[in-house]
Amino acid sequence: MAKLNILHFPDTRLRNKAKPVAQVDGAVRKLIDDMFETMYDAPGIGLAATQVNVDRRVIVIDVSEEHDAPLALVNPEIVARDGEEEMDEGCLSVPGIYEKVQRADHIRLRALDRDGNPLEMEAQGLLAVCIQHEIDHLDGKLFIDYLSNLKRQRIKKKLQKESRQERRDAEDDRRAI
């Protein structure tokens, strides 16, 4: 397994729409394994392939406290949603930012599992919110798109400033060697 690089907003590659997976094979299963390793290391509870610059419709999720309920979904599609849930959301691609977002509380979806078998399931609460968040990534959408333009611009400026500072710090470290 390998830890993958997570793209950070405002990287334009986060806006790419993922393409369906034609066949779940060894390469897709390796991607899933690498995504789980990356997600757990980050640490996070969900990760979409587009966040690691792979334009395939693959997401991994584990909302358990013990990290013992991994869920891999290939070509996930929400077929029904109802209820409303407002929850603070964060994102590995928008580090350090948490905002309230309104989503469906209950969803029904179709997908393939990590072995390519068809899967239908229902989810509610945190799992439903997480699935919707990750599917948004596959469609080139970020949770901050649900916020006002003003909030989005503030977040963008803050993250750009932090990124510049990290680059300066890394440059200073290289000079010190």
Side-chain angles (χ1 to χ4, degrees):
M1 290 198 292
K3 199 175 115 186
L4 306 170
N5 183 44
I6 298 172
L7 302 176
H8 291 156
F9 176 77
D11 193 312
T12 57
R13 294 173 291 179
L14 289 167
R15 299 303 185 173
N16 293 342
K17 287 193 172 202
K19 296 171 184 68
V21 172
Q23 178 181 346
V24 178
D25 56 15
V28 172
R29 284 188 286 280
K30 180 177 182 347
L31 172 63
I32 289 168
D33 292 342
D34 291 347
M35 287 174 62
F36 272 119
E37 181 177 349
T38 303
M39 179 190 76
Y40 288 134
D41 185 66
I45 62 170
L47 187 67
T50 50
Q51 291 178 271
V52 293
N53 200 28
V54 176
D55 69 341
R56 293 290 174 254
R57 295 191 72 79
V58 176
I59 62 176
V60 297
I61 294 172
D62 189 342
V63 297
S64 71
E65 293 286 327
E66 302 79 23
H67 303 299
D68 62 355
L71 176 64
L73 301 172
V74 178
N75 299 334
E77 174 189 4
I78 296 173
V79 295
R81 48 178 104 215
D82 61 74
E84 280 187 11
E85 176 82 39
E86 186 172 84
M87 197 175 284
D88 269 347
E89 288 189 29
C91 181
L92 296 176
S93 291
V94 189
I97 305 296
Y98 298 89
E99 292 286 341
K100 288 201 180 303
V101 175
Q102 210 167 39
R103 298 194 186 263
D105 177 55
H106 178 263
I107 62 169
R108 191 169 69 243
L109 75 134
R110 270 187 232 132
L112 300 175
D113 67 12
R114 73 173 266 111
D115 296 317
N117 299 314
L119 167 75
E120 282 202 32
M121 65 178 282
E122 294 192 26
Q124 61 186 33
L126 179 59
L127 180 58
V129 166
C130 190
I131 291 169
Q132 291 169 86
H133 176 111
E134 300 309 330
I135 289 176
D136 273 355
H137 276 297
L138 300 179
D139 295 330
K141 190 170 186 176
L142 302 172
F143 87 98
I144 59 173
D145 295 341
Y146 291 92
L147 307 177
S148 71
N149 192 41
L150 178 63
K151 275 190 177 180
R152 260 194 320 280
Q153 290 306 316
R154 284 182 180 161
I155 291 167
K156 182 177 181 178
K157 285 180 182 178
K158 178 180 190 238
L159 293 176
Q160 286 173 326
K161 182 179 177 183
E162 288 173 2
S163 178
R164 283 191 302 269
Q165 186 60 48
E166 286 173 8
R167 282 195 300 273
R168 277 189 226 115
D169 291 348
E171 196 172 296
D172 290 346
D173 289 347
R174 281 193 298 272
R175 285 189 197 134
I177 294 175

